[in-house]
Amino acid sequence: SVNPYRGCNHACAYCFARPSHEYLSWGAGTDFDTKLLVKRDAARLLRAHFEKPSWSGGLLMFSGVTDCYQPTEASLRLTRACLEVCAEYRNPVAIITKAPLIERDLDVLLELHRNASVSVAISVPIWDQALARALEPGVATPKRRIQTIEKLAAAGLNVSVMVAPIIPGVSDEGMAEVLEAARDAGATSAGYVLLRLPGAVKDVFEARVRAALPLRADKILHRVRETRGGALYDSRYGVRGRGEGPYAQMINQVFH
């Protein structure tokens, strides 16, 4: 994966990557939202990596940690610079983002589409605009993200929608609307991941839910525990992305 940024202005309460900030001796809460590590030499280092004889041209994922099109990218253009290197070397790329800012780079994406391969997944976990604003305050509205799917798909790109993360008691309510809107906009595939709350994310998420959605907080936390054997998180591989129990099974059935 290529990650030009660590930390994210999108400030999503549920972001599984928050604990990565603790490796930088910063906090997983407001530090993650406001103190960004910016990799200004990312494109140069990526080019150097491509020049190594050991590089076999494998698929690169933007981003594996935080959103490569978060607001800071509008001015720094580090993601675009990396994509231009990928286009030059005809290296296949996959991108997941919440940000309509990706539309700016349609020219580079189309070049990759012609000469290598590129796939884009747009994350729309919550359909209700008020709920989305409460839990992902720095992100464009859900309907605006659907417009991004439409624009990229109309240009001929392979676009999918990620209903991720599914937040029990929140995003499962609007899952069908997200999928229908994405299909109508031109998305050709869809995926989901159940809410993951590793490490300090549990505390950040609970605090945000209780502050922003006080009347729903207990229900939401109860629903999360229903999918995690009574806890807020289960880190077991193969379980952490889907959960267990009747409520998790219902989410899976509704999605399919």
Side-chain angles (χ1 to χ4, degrees):
S1 66
V2 177
N3 302 285
Y5 308 101
R6 295 282 292 274
C8 187
N9 299 140
H10 284 161
C12 301
Y14 51 71
C15 183
F16 74 92
R18 285 181 175 276
S20 68
H21 238 44
E22 295 174 331
Y23 289 99
L24 306 174
S25 297
W26 289 336
T30 53
D31 281 356
F32 182 84
D33 305 337
T34 59
K35 293 183 177 180
L36 305 183
L37 176 66
V38 175
K39 302 178 182 180
R40 296 184 184 275
D41 284 341
R44 180 182 63 80
L45 294 171
L46 181 59
R47 181 184 298 276
H49 194 75
F50 284 163
E51 288 290 342
K52 293 180 179 179
S54 59
W55 180 246
S56 60
L59 178 70
L60 283 183
M61 180 71 195
F62 290 75
S63 287
V65 180
T66 51
D67 201 316
C68 59
Y69 280 106
Q70 60 180 283
T72 302
E73 168 63 16
S75 57
L76 295 184
R77 302 169 71 89
L78 298 178
T79 296
R80 181 181 175 90
C82 289
L83 289 174
E84 288 173 340
V85 173
C86 290
E88 180 182 343
Y89 283 81
R90 300 189 175 191
N91 200 91
V93 166
I95 300 169
I96 184 167
T97 182
K98 290 185 174 76
L101 179 58
I102 191 174
E103 297 170 7
R104 178 200 65 188
D105 295 340
L106 187 56
D107 58 329
V108 183
L109 297 175
L110 288 173
E111 183 179 353
L112 280 163
H113 177 66
R114 288 190 298 268
N115 299 323
S117 72
V118 61
S119 62
V120 179
I122 302 297
S123 174
V124 190
I126 305 168
W127 186 242
D128 182 275
Q129 183 171 329
L131 292 176
R133 182 63 64 205
L135 297 179
E136 41 184 37
V139 187
T141 66
K143 290 183 179 179
R144 178 64 183 88
R145 281 174 266 172
I146 294 294
Q147 291 173 2
T148 296
I149 292 175
E150 186 173 29
K151 183 168 184 177
L152 298 181
L157 296 180
N158 178 27
V159 189
S160 63
V161 63
M162 286 296 294
V163 192
I166 291 286
I167 303 170
V170 179
S171 51
D172 46 333
E173 297 176 3
M175 191 193 317
E177 285 84 354
V178 171
L179 292 170
E180 184 175 37
R183 179 203 62 194
D184 293 345
T188 55
S189 60
Y192 86 91
V193 177
L194 192 68
L195 175 70
R196 293 170 53 191
L197 298 174
V201 188
K202 292 189 290 292
D203 297 331
V204 174
F205 179 77
E206 181 169 359
R208 181 81 63 82
V209 166
R210 292 198 179 282
L213 302 169
L215 299 180
R216 300 173 62 112
D218 286 336
K219 174 189 173 183
I220 293 168
L221 295 169
H222 174 72
R223 290 297 194 194
V224 173
R225 290 188 173 94
E226 276 193 83
T227 66
R228 299 295 185 187
L232 285 178
Y233 186 52
D234 183 344
S235 63
R236 287 178 296 161
Y237 183 78
V239 175
R240 60 192 179 203
R242 289 293 182 265
E244 289 183 323
Y247 201 77
Q249 293 172 8
M250 183 275 292
I251 289 172
N252 182 270
Q253 289 168 359
V254 171
F255 174 83
H256 285 288

